[in-house]
Amino acid sequence: MSPAASTPAYRRLSVEERRAQLLESALSLFAHRAPEEVSLDDVAEAAGVSRPLVYRYFPGGKQQLYEAALRSAAEELRTCFAEPHEGPLLPRLSRALDRYLAFVDGHDAGFTALLQGGSVVETSRTSAIVDGVRRAAAEHILSHLEVTEPGPRLRMTVRMWITAVEAASLIWLDEDKQPPLAELRDWLVEQFVAVLSVTANRDAQTAGLVGRLLSPADG
């Protein structure tokens, strides 16, 4: 076999593939270092490309790249809670958490960068990206609860639980991904029922939901 024949054929990446590569490299860097400590040279080196190429795709510089990287992670996370309204609620929530935690497991750098972005970079756009994921998750959950006008206690409880899921996911990554995902998922579902039960002691709307959740027909 000739040397030319043994050399792998070079394949030029499409615009979409190259952009995705740059975003993935940026997310990995932003997950482990503060955004102000990451330069475009760092992103170019991590992606194995030149700095001018990074500018070609992101002419707005690092801030545009950072926001685009956050947005790509956020859009994927938004879909995790999109579950068909069929069958009992708690199994639906388990399936949604399966997708959410699978994203955390497969994109740990992107997930960490996403959640850190709301506090590390003080801009209204990045904060809106992070908050948009949380609001979308809350809207999906309230929709599954079949609540069109949630009271303040119920709304606060759902948002608190979403924050707990985020915190547990970050701690799980920091603890070498222990306990196993299935155990973490079941624990988070149990926590959801538990916090609703506490709120039910002070809120009639939530009390009615808990009664339905714990009924044999819904379990």
Side-chain angles (χ1 to χ4, degrees), residues 123-182:
T123 73
S124 59
R125 290 190 299 273
T126 54
S127 296
I129 292 169
V130 177
D131 192 52
V133 176
R134 296 171 181 144
R135 290 185 179 277
E139 289 170 4
H140 278 301
I141 291 170
L142 290 170
S143 174
H144 284 290
L145 289 171
E146 299 178 355
V147 177
T148 56
E149 296 183 7
R153 289 182 177 84
L154 175 59
R155 194 165 54 243
M156 184 180 295
T157 300
V158 170
R159 293 179 65 182
M160 286 170 56
W161 179 75
I162 291 168
T163 301
V165 171
E166 292 177 355
S169 299
L170 289 172
I171 294 169
W172 181 76
L173 291 173
D174 196 48
E175 293 289 337
D176 297 323
K177 299 185 176 182
Q178 290 298 322
L181 274 179

Side-chain angles (χ1 to χ4, degrees), residues 1-216:
M1 181 178 294
S2 66
S6 62
T7 302
Y10 174 78
R11 185 176 74 87
R12 183 184 297 274
L13 295 180
S14 68
V15 171
E16 293 78 11
E17 290 172 329
R18 179 65 74 189
R19 189 173 190 278
Q21 178 202 28
L22 294 174
L23 291 177
E24 188 68 26
S25 298
L27 277 173
S28 181
L29 292 171
F30 290 135
H32 299 98
R33 293 155 58 185
E36 58 269 21
E37 297 176 358
V38 177
S39 68
L40 288 183
D41 287 330
D42 294 329
V43 176
E45 181 179 359
V49 301
S50 66
R51 178 189 174 97
L53 183 64
V54 179
Y55 262 114
R56 184 188 307 171
Y57 282 83
F58 299 97
K62 186 173 69 174
Q63 185 65 27
Q64 182 188 7
L65 175 59
Y66 181 72
E67 291 176 11
L70 287 187
R71 196 171 288 110
S72 70
E75 286 303 317
E76 190 167 347
L77 269 178
R78 280 173 181 269
T79 66
C80 291
F81 284 92
E83 174 71 20
H85 288 223
E86 300 172 358
L89 172 65
L90 294 183
R92 284 187 244 162
L93 185 59
S94 293
R95 290 191 293 270
L97 279 174
D98 278 336
R99 290 191 294 273
Y100 185 94
L101 295 173
F103 178 92
V104 175
D105 187 27
H107 304 79
D108 49 356
F111 181 79
T112 304
L114 175 68
L115 293 192
Q116 288 178 340
S119 57
V120 175
V121 178
E122 304 252 341
T123 73
S124 59
R125 290 190 299 273
T126 54
S127 296
I129 292 169
V130 177
D131 192 52
V133 176
R134 296 171 181 144
R135 290 185 179 277
E139 289 170 4
H140 278 301
I141 291 170
L142 290 170
S143 174
H144 284 290
L145 289 171
E146 299 178 355
V147 177
T148 56
E149 296 183 7
R153 289 182 177 84
L154 175 59
R155 194 165 54 243
M156 184 180 295
T157 300
V158 170
R159 293 179 65 182
M160 286 170 56
W161 179 75
I162 291 168
T163 301
V165 171
E166 292 177 355
S169 299
L170 289 172
I171 294 169
W172 181 76
L173 291 173
D174 196 48
E175 293 289 337
D176 297 323
K177 299 185 176 182
Q178 290 298 322
L181 274 179
E183 183 179 335
L184 178 61
R185 174 205 62 210
D186 291 344
W187 181 43
L188 290 172
V189 172
E190 291 165 4
Q191 283 193 347
F192 182 64
V193 176
V195 295
L196 284 176
S197 298
V198 171
T199 302
N201 293 328
R202 296 174 177 270
D203 182 58
Q205 183 184 45
T206 307
L209 291 173
V210 171
R212 180 159 54 86
L213 284 177
L214 298 181
S215 69

